[in-house]
Amino acid sequence: MLEIRNLHAGVEGAEILHGIDLAVNAGEIHAIMGPNGSGKSTLAQVLAGHEAYSVTAGEVIYEGQDLLDMDPDERAVQGVFLAFQYPVEIPGVNSAYFLRTALNALRTARDEEEVDAIDFLSLIRDKLKLVEMDEKFLKRSVNEGFSGGEKKRHEILQMAVLEPRLAILDETDSGLDIDALRVVANGVNTLHSADKATIVVTHYQRLLNNIVPDVVHVMLDGRIVQSGDKTLAMELEEKGYDWIKEEHATHSV
Amino acid sequence: MTGSKKNTRHTASNHASWVQKFESSLNGQSLRALRQQAIADFDRLGYPTTADEAWKSVNPSALIRPDFEPAIPATLADAELEPFIYPDLQGIRLVFVNGHYAPERASDIPEGITIANLGDVYDHPLVKAHLGKLAQTTDLAFTALNTAFMRDGVFIHVQPNIIVEAPVHILFITTASETPTISHPRNLIIADENSQLSIVETYAGTGTETYLTNAVTEIIARDNASVNCIRLELQNTKGLHVANFQAQLGRSSRMTFHDFTFGGAFVRNDVSAYLRGEGSEATVNGFYALEGSQQVDNYTLLEHAEPHCPSHELYKGILGGSSRAIFRGKIHVHQKAQHTDAYQQNENILLSDNARVNTKPQLEIYADEVKCSHGATIGQLDENALFYLQTRGIPKAEARRILLRAFADDIIGRVTLAPVRSHLSDLIDTRLEHIYAKDMA
Ligand SMILES: Nc1ncnc2c1ncn2[C@@H]1O[C@H](COP(=O)(O)OP(=O)(O)OP(=O)(O)O)[C@@H](O)[C@H]1O
Ligand SMILES: [Mg+2]
């Protein structure tokens, strides 16, 4: 479904990703772990199409198409979704309007019929239940004044409404209390299926108890330096990153 | 005003022509003394230049053309009026074409309210007593010119305890023609004790030629009265617009003013609210959406003369092209005006590198127990918010529109007359499309 080959990207004057290779098939859940500043969010933002990052080499093929060639909204239309590590506040735009506009933008682009206000309301009520969010959030401006955990749930709510085929969750578990973690994990599992793929960026093994990954990758200084099954995450939880850093240091000499 | 400053003016022939026209324009003996004082003031002041403190940031020379002729009456086709009226607004309507009252366009007037063409009631005791009292001519050249040459406009008097349910919509429309004209709309509105009134002023121009509208509105809200005003400036792209809006508030009265500036090549708005009764409350909000080389100068004054008065002021603007906006907000708190609560904010979004904003608060506070806050922002559209919307499948153009609408709706949403609000909503959408179409081209 997704194939990243030798991806180099960065901001003006500074390369952050130094050659990423990653292949994700439909039905798989991949976890990306790695120390702060290793480039996980940069990878996620590049995949979503943030203009601040420029790609200097490599390619990203999504469902046989050149993903990097698409505008961010086109990527969404093609089924790519990014749950932001830091969701953006949008004063004056209420969540219900935002969600319906987004859903209808996708539907219009796919030549499907728009959802009217009444159908949307029943749809959104189901989705709110999935993430155990109160209907009152729909009336509030997008993310404005939301607590950290509420913002993360709101990301999963959007994912539930937009039903992407490739979901990238950037630290959606950070800052969540135990109940919220369960809710988010349950949401992600419910939305995952054999024809979909999910990439979760996380620092914590505990999320991976709830969302069981097929593959775990470790990112270090803009590269994926190690990949393995879920036991790799447990190993990291136990031993930290130092051993990988050392191992990687010797490898690269 | 010092003598030496006067020497720097480039007045002579320009303004002298109006002084000469004055005698012949005098329309009987009514208001003769007021007009004579006004023309004398105008003669002394001359047209403003950038040397004037109040005109520092804009160049008013566009407003000063020796070839402006007094506007002459014209009939307006239904189709020319139609874009400016709101079919859903069940109210009272008065229409002025080229500064002249068009009685055939007026709607019926309900009881309890006196509404007339000001030009027909110069001898009304209230007109004699109040006209020109708020809008002083001593230091405002254009107000002096208006007062010397004013002709028509509305006079409204609401009796005590009367609640006028029907909003009054006043339209001043110029049918621009090859000869550039000047008109001087003049309004006097008096809301007596415990009365309530809503008015909508529309200033618009048809055609594509230039003209100058020089309007003055005086509003008196007596004790406990409530006056709700909305003003729409929709002059044509070459239209020049100078407007002086002055409101005086009595004890526990309320005045809200929402000012929307969309059209015109050059617009100068003076807006003053004098809180002269204890516990009175003024809300003065404005919104401007500019493109091309439009220049808009908003000069506001909130004068707190009595204790326990709140005032709220929020001006927001969206600027494209090489447009230019100036916001100057003065808050003057008298020594006596304890427990004043004054809030002022000006926010701007620049959509192009060539658009510019000057914003300047001016606080003069002589009382001790005062809550006074002010702030200003000038920035671009939030790129991160744009990106966020785009990642949800919303195309960039639509994402921009959503963000700009959210910015504008903050003001539009405060307009309480629903038909006007929905009209504004359409207007702003059209404006934004226009601004983008031009900037992207
Ligand atoms: N827009 C930017 N401008 C400058 N530097 C940036 C920018 N974005 C990312 N970086 C830098 O790139 C590096 C990788 O950042 P990134 O956010 O991708 O890390 P991360 O792995 O997501 O970290 P964390 O676990 O803390 O979220 C950091 O050193 C960061 O400072
Ligand atoms: Mg990150």
Side-chain angles (χ1 to χ4, degrees):
Chain A
M1 176 177 271
L2 180 75
E3 190 160 0
I4 304 173
R5 294 186 198 127
N6 188 33
L7 182 69
H8 290 252
V11 290
E12 205 166 311
E15 192 174 271
I16 300 168
L17 303 179
H18 308 294
I20 301 277
D21 291 283
L22 178 67
V24 180
N25 298 312
E28 291 179 350
I29 296 177
H30 287 231
I32 298 179
M33 304 181 81
N36 295 134
S38 57
K40 304 177 300 293
S41 292
T42 302
L43 175 62
Q45 296 277 327
V46 167
L47 293 177
H50 199 299
E51 280 181 11
Y53 301 97
S54 48
V55 174
T56 46
E59 58 182 353
V60 179
I61 306 299
Y62 167 73
E63 305 262 40
Q65 290 174 284
D66 180 359
L67 187 73
L68 300 178
D69 199 34
M70 300 178 201
D71 285 338
D73 50 303
E74 209 182 327
R75 298 180 196 204
V77 170
Q78 297 302 323
V80 178
F81 178 88
L82 169 64
F84 283 57
Q85 182 177 1
Y86 303 108
V88 182
E89 299 193 0
I90 310 183
V93 177
N94 77 51
S95 168
Y97 174 79
F98 162 69
L99 288 163
R100 188 153 81 92
T101 306
L103 178 61
N104 281 333
L106 294 185
R107 296 184 71 100
T108 306
R110 293 169 185 161
D111 282 328
E112 295 165 7
E113 216 166 292
E114 291 198 1
V115 176
D116 67 25
I118 293 163
D119 288 346
F120 179 73
L121 196 64
S122 65
L123 180 149
I124 193 73
R125 282 189 175 137
D126 285 349
K127 308 295 185 184
L128 282 164
K129 266 187 219 132
L130 179 69
V131 294
E132 297 179 21
M133 263 181 107
D134 194 292
E135 218 174 296
K136 69 174 195 257
F137 284 98
L138 296 178
K139 292 205 185 98
R140 287 175 58 178
S141 290
V142 173
N143 295 323
E144 195 182 31
F146 285 25
S147 76
E150 288 163 354
K151 283 181 180 166
K152 298 300 171 86
R153 277 188 207 219
H154 190 238
E155 293 292 290
I156 300 305
L157 175 66
Q158 293 168 50
M159 176 176 159
V161 170
L162 303 179
E163 300 185 328
R165 272 181 299 161
L166 171 63
I168 305 158
L169 311 178
D170 191 358
E171 292 198 31
T172 305
D173 56 329
S174 295
L176 293 185
D177 65 35
I178 296 160
D179 287 341
L181 188 70
R182 178 187 45 77
V183 167
V184 163
N186 177 46
V188 171
N189 287 328
T190 309
L191 296 167
H192 187 74
S193 63
D195 59 344
K196 291 178 174 164
T198 307
I199 299 173
V200 292
V201 174
T202 182
H203 286 294
Y204 306 107
Q205 147 68 16
R206 59 172 191 179
L207 176 74
L208 303 178
N209 287 334
N210 296 303
I211 302 174
V212 182
D214 298 292
V215 190
V216 175
H217 306 275
V218 180
M219 200 158 159
L220 205 62
D221 195 18
R223 290 183 185 87
I224 289 180
V225 293
Q226 187 141 356
S227 302
D229 63 12
K230 62 181 180 190
T231 56
L232 176 58
M234 293 173 192
E235 206 175 344
L236 290 171
E237 178 90 354
E238 229 172 83
K239 304 201 275 185
Y241 290 111
D242 282 352
W243 64 279
I244 290 202
K245 286 183 186 167
E246 278 162 30
E247 202 167 291
H248 180 64
T250 35
H251 271 277
S252 54
V253 191
Chain B
M1 207 64 47
T2 63
S4 65
K5 201 168 172 189
K6 187 163 185 212
N7 295 335
T8 66
R9 297 175 187 287
H10 57 88
T11 53
S13 65
N14 256 336
H15 94 275
S17 74
W18 288 114
V19 177
Q20 280 152 22
K21 280 182 187 132
F22 176 69
E23 274 304 320
S24 60
S25 79
L26 271 181
N27 170 5
Q29 291 302 309
S30 299
L31 307 176
R32 193 180 182 99
L34 180 68
R35 289 182 192 274
Q36 266 166 341
Q37 181 58 50
I39 199 71
D41 284 335
F42 179 69
D43 193 20
R44 173 175 54 79
L45 293 165
Y47 278 116
T49 71
T50 45
D52 287 274
E53 180 57 33
W55 291 83
K56 230 177 171 156
S57 320
V58 290
N59 188 349
S61 61
L63 298 170
I64 302 156
R65 292 183 44 155
D67 55 345
F68 278 131
E69 291 291 330
I72 52 170
T75 50
L76 199 64
D78 288 349
E80 289 177 300
L81 182 62
E82 206 249 4
F84 308 113
I85 59 177
Y86 319 110
D88 299 338
L89 189 72
Q90 304 293 326
I92 304 161
R93 185 189 307 148
L94 286 94
V95 180
F96 299 81
V97 182
N98 297 343
H100 295 255
Y101 181 49
E104 72 281 3
R105 293 285 185 189
S107 59
D108 293 338
I109 313 289
E111 307 227 326
I113 174 170
T114 302
I115 300 191
N117 169 27
L118 181 72
D120 297 335
V121 294
Y122 288 150
D123 293 322
H124 191 291
L126 285 173
V127 174
K128 282 185 161 166
H130 295 287
L131 195 71
K133 290 289 187 297
L134 284 177
Q136 297 270 334
T137 58
T138 41
D139 54 7
L140 292 174
F142 282 97
T143 296
L145 202 58
N146 174 293
T147 307
F149 289 97
M150 66 187 161
R151 188 195 150 84
D152 292 346
V154 293
F155 168 61
I156 299 177
H157 176 217
V158 188
Q159 308 275 351
N161 306 312
I162 297 288
I163 293 170
V164 183
E165 302 279 358
V168 182
H169 189 189
I170 313 161
L171 294 101
F172 294 94
I173 297 176
T174 301
T175 58
S177 63
E178 265 167 39
T179 315
T181 60
I182 181 167
S183 65
H184 304 280
R186 182 77 182 219
N187 306 308
L188 175 64
I189 290 143
I190 300 171
D192 276 348
E193 290 76 6
N194 301 306
S195 69
Q196 288 182 25
L197 173 71
S198 286
I199 59 168
V200 183
E201 286 183 300
T202 298
Y203 293 90
T206 65
T208 55
E209 310 289 339
T210 189
Y211 55 92
L212 170 60
T213 301
N214 175 30
V216 175
T217 296
E218 293 170 286
I219 294 189
I220 297 166
R222 296 200 202 274
D223 295 355
N224 225 20
S226 170
V227 183
N228 174 22
C229 311
I230 300 161
R231 181 167 71 184
L232 279 87
E233 183 277 306
L234 301 167
Q235 304 291 9
N236 78 21
T237 52
K238 286 194 188 147
L240 309 172
H241 184 83
V242 178
N244 184 6
F245 178 97
Q246 307 262 325
Q248 173 175 297
L249 283 78
R251 197 164 38 79
S252 301
S253 68
R254 290 168 52 100
M255 196 276 299
T256 59
F257 177 61
H258 285 90
D259 198 9
F260 296 90
T261 302
F262 292 121
F266 186 106
V267 175
R268 162 62 180 243
N269 294 315
D270 284 83
V271 174
S272 306
Y274 305 99
L275 296 137
R276 288 185 184 156
E278 188 166 348
S280 56
E281 178 170 3
T283 302
V284 174
N285 294 334
F287 179 78
Y288 38 93
L290 312 177
E291 61 173 329
S293 57
Q294 282 185 287
Q295 287 197 49
V296 172
D297 184 6
N298 282 305
Y299 203 103
T300 68
L301 166 65
L302 270 298
E303 193 181 73
H304 286 261
E306 292 289 329
H308 296 287
C309 296
S311 71
H312 323 272
E313 182 175 21
L314 175 61
Y315 272 68
K316 295 180 93 166
I318 297 172
L319 292 91
S322 56
S323 63
R324 176 107 197 256
I326 289 134
F327 172 80
R328 272 169 301 178
K330 183 168 172 178
I331 299 174
H332 179 184
V333 182
H334 293 214
Q335 194 175 1
K336 189 182 169 195
Q338 300 297 353
H339 306 288
T340 286
D341 187 351
Y343 168 88
Q344 179 193 93
Q345 180 79 10
N346 175 228
E347 296 174 7
N348 300 277
I349 294 181
L350 305 182
L351 296 179
S352 103
D353 293 341
N354 296 322
R356 276 201 294 160
V357 171
N358 288 40
T359 177
K360 189 179 165 199
Q362 194 185 339
L363 273 53
E364 281 180 31
I365 300 173
Y366 301 101
D368 318 314
E369 298 221 15
V370 169
K371 249 174 78 185
C372 203
S373 66
H374 67 90
T377 61
I378 302 171
Q380 275 93 36
L381 214 49
D382 181 349
E383 288 293 332
N384 285 323
L386 258 184
F387 176 63
Y388 190 70
L389 291 173
Q390 276 184 281
T391 61
R392 274 39 178 162
I394 300 170
K396 194 167 191 173
E398 173 68 2
R400 274 200 194 108
R401 195 194 67 82
I402 289 172
L403 295 179
L404 291 172
R405 271 307 302 258
F407 181 76
D409 283 351
D410 189 16
I411 303 278
I412 294 174
R414 296 169 201 237
V415 171
T416 49
L417 295 174
V420 180
R421 196 171 57 236
S422 79
H423 182 76
L424 280 166
S425 182
D426 295 345
L427 269 177
I428 179 76
D429 274 346
T430 317
R431 276 306 279 175
L432 293 178
E433 268 171 39
H434 214 234
I435 292 172
Y436 269 113
K438 281 208 166 169
D439 278 1
M440 299 296 134

